[in-house]
Amino acid sequence: MQKLAFNDLGAQYRHLKKEIDAGIADVIAGSHFISGPQVEQLEKELAAYVGRKYCVSVASGTDALRMPLMAEEIGKGDAVFVPAFTFFATAEVASLCGATPVFCDSDPDTFNLSPQSLEKQIKKTLGDGKLKPRAVIAVDLFGQPADFPAIQQICDQYGLILVEDAAQGFGGAIGDKRACSFGKYSGTSFFPAKALGCYGDGGAVFTDDEEAYRLLLSLRVHGKGSFKYENVRIGLNARLDTLQAAILLPKLHAFDQENEHRKKAAALYEKQLRDRFSTPVIKKGFSSGFGYYTLKAESPEERERIVGGLKAAGIPAMVYYPKPLHLQKVYEPLGYQAGDLPNAERLCNIVFSLPMHGYITEEEIGLVCTALNNL
Ligand SMILES: *Cc1c(COP(=O)(O)O)cnc(C)c1O
């Protein structure tokens, strides 16, 4: 048997080879490498899929989160509230704009931004009087949407812009509202390892607001005005290239099937692991795209033993994320201490993720579970 992969991009390519190869050949034959017709087609299909009016494809998930903050002219003196338990880019984009990330704790069961901690940090920031609360970036961690009904309510109450970091969210939903449709803006990533990934860097921003859409289009290409060589603001070069769009189209067409497969794989894991492990908690009415299948160990020592034991058995397990953002070296000047955000800190010490992708087999899941249950 082949070596078990954490995320088997090769298996996906074998399934979609004909369509992907033809898409790549088309782009090369057409020589329209930037802003080719496949880019516009992808944007239309993505917007329709997630249920948003507008989609702006961009060069990375990081750009997809940075551009909404730029569009809202968020900068120096502004506070952007983010969870401490997430990938670095969620907070980095606030810093890139000159704003200050204010870190919030996570829900210990769903791993997502805790609405209670968010409200506490907003009140504290208002009380300190140094920063102006402007925006919240809530993350769909590991595939489950954040608690957007509760978070949107808090944002409305305090007049904050809500951005959904759906870099891991594609495929999840709350009721029949799909991920990438929450808040004023949603940003997703097409980094190869994400649930919907391309063959390089890529991303997309979604919004229902026409004025925001126009600003995003301008920001994507050097702050352009009515034509390419008129510049009305400082922007970026943040276009998704045509080859990546051509690769994403067949992957998007196969996405529902892969998403169903991941959900079934998660159910198989759940059945075989729930007696011994702390398996994912999905909130009532929510569904996860299970981009990652993440368990909690009972202690940091137990996690070390489990991850080490799995590796010795030839099974790749990963730790996302080993260090909370408020304790990262670069944010030392903000003055956070260990113990400030206890749930986020504990999750960093005990979570681990198992192999998961749209083509994982029942046999592979069985091998992982047997190895885990024998540890
Ligand atoms: C991957 C990721 C990003 C950044 O996306 P890139 O495409 O790598 O720039 C942002 N936020 C989260 C939660 C991510 O997982």
Side-chain angles (χ1 to χ4, degrees), residues 225-245:
S226 57
F227 69 105
K228 192 173 174 185
Y229 298 106
E230 178 186 58
N231 305 90
V232 296
R233 60 180 60 80
I234 299 299
L236 303 167
N237 169 7
R239 289 170 297 225
L240 179 79
D241 67 69
T242 314
L243 273 171
Q244 300 305 341

Side-chain angles (χ1 to χ4, degrees), residues 103-123:
F103 295 104
C104 305
D105 212 352
S106 303
D107 181 294
D109 295 323
T110 65
F111 312 149
N112 279 330
L113 176 64
S114 151
Q116 291 75 24
S117 175
L118 170 64
E119 186 156 26
K120 197 171 135 196
Q121 294 297 64
I122 295 169
K123 283 186 175 152

Side-chain angles (χ1 to χ4, degrees), residues 42-363:
L42 177 71
E43 289 175 340
K44 274 200 191 124
E45 291 192 21
L46 283 169
Y49 185 86
V50 306
R52 280 280 208 192
K53 276 196 189 141
Y54 305 106
C55 169
V56 177
S57 63
V58 294
S60 71
T62 305
D63 285 339
L65 298 172
R66 180 184 187 181
M67 285 164 56
L69 303 186
M70 291 172 79
E72 296 292 331
E73 297 185 25
I74 287 169
K76 200 167 157 42
D78 292 337
V80 177
F81 298 86
V82 297
F85 184 51
T86 174
F87 180 62
F88 187 65
T90 312
E92 187 182 32
V93 292
S95 302
L96 272 168
C97 293
T100 303
V102 175
F103 295 104
C104 305
D105 212 352
S106 303
D107 181 294
D109 295 323
T110 65
F111 312 149
N112 279 330
L113 176 64
S114 151
Q116 291 75 24
S117 175
L118 170 64
E119 186 156 26
K120 197 171 135 196
Q121 294 297 64
I122 295 169
K123 283 186 175 152
K124 182 169 181 294
T125 303
L126 287 170
D128 291 347
K130 291 193 188 113
L131 296 170
K132 183 167 186 243
R134 290 291 310 283
V136 174
I137 307 179
V139 183
D140 303 336
L141 205 66
F142 306 139
Q144 176 169 207
D147 188 351
F148 286 105
I151 294 167
Q152 184 68 64
Q153 202 177 353
I154 295 169
C155 288
D156 291 346
Q157 187 183 338
Y158 292 93
L160 308 180
I161 302 286
L162 178 55
V163 179
E164 177 190 9
D165 177 347
Q168 300 179 16
F170 211 91
I174 304 177
D176 53 15
K177 249 178 101 53
R178 286 184 168 159
C180 293
S181 71
F182 302 104
K184 182 169 179 186
Y185 304 87
S186 324
T188 194
S189 163
F190 303 131
F191 181 80
K194 312 284 182 180
L196 178 63
C198 59
Y199 287 167
D201 278 308
V205 197
F206 300 89
T207 185
D208 292 318
D209 183 303
E210 189 181 343
E211 194 190 329
Y213 172 62
R214 305 225 166 275
L215 280 169
L216 292 169
L217 289 179
S218 167
L219 288 166
R220 176 168 66 176
V221 189
H222 306 293
K224 74 170 180 186
S226 57
F227 69 105
K228 192 173 174 185
Y229 298 106
E230 178 186 58
N231 305 90
V232 296
R233 60 180 60 80
I234 299 299
L236 303 167
N237 169 7
R239 289 170 297 225
L240 179 79
D241 67 69
T242 314
L243 273 171
Q244 300 305 341
I247 289 160
L248 281 162
L249 279 165
K251 290 197 184 203
L252 178 60
H253 301 155
F255 187 80
D256 276 337
Q257 203 181 325
E258 293 175 3
N259 207 32
E260 283 313 306
H261 189 101
R262 277 192 303 269
K263 286 181 191 176
K264 278 192 199 130
L268 284 172
Y269 270 139
E270 164 78 21
K271 211 167 105 194
Q272 293 171 75
L273 297 174
R274 70 178 153 222
D275 290 344
R276 265 200 65 194
F277 295 92
S278 190
T279 50
V281 175
I282 308 301
K283 267 176 91 84
K284 196 162 178 283
F286 286 50
S287 65
S288 175
F290 285 110
Y292 300 85
Y293 191 83
T294 305
L295 303 180
K296 285 191 286 188
E298 265 156 29
S299 66
E301 297 72 31
E302 201 208 12
R303 177 177 72 184
E304 201 168 321
R305 196 176 66 80
I306 293 171
V307 172
L310 286 175
K311 289 212 164 131
I315 289 162
M318 307 288 274
V319 171
Y320 300 117
Y321 294 92
K323 197 168 183 173
L325 301 191
H326 65 297
L327 301 180
Q328 291 286 354
K329 183 158 180 51
V330 66
Y331 288 130
E332 261 171 28
L334 296 180
Y336 291 86
Q337 306 288 325
D340 284 349
L341 303 173
N343 295 337
E345 291 165 32
R346 180 160 170 80
L347 289 172
C348 286
N349 286 330
I350 61 171
V351 293
F352 60 100
S353 301
L354 301 178
M356 176 57 103
H357 55 87
Y359 298 88
I360 194 165
T361 64
E362 212 170 318
E363 187 197 356

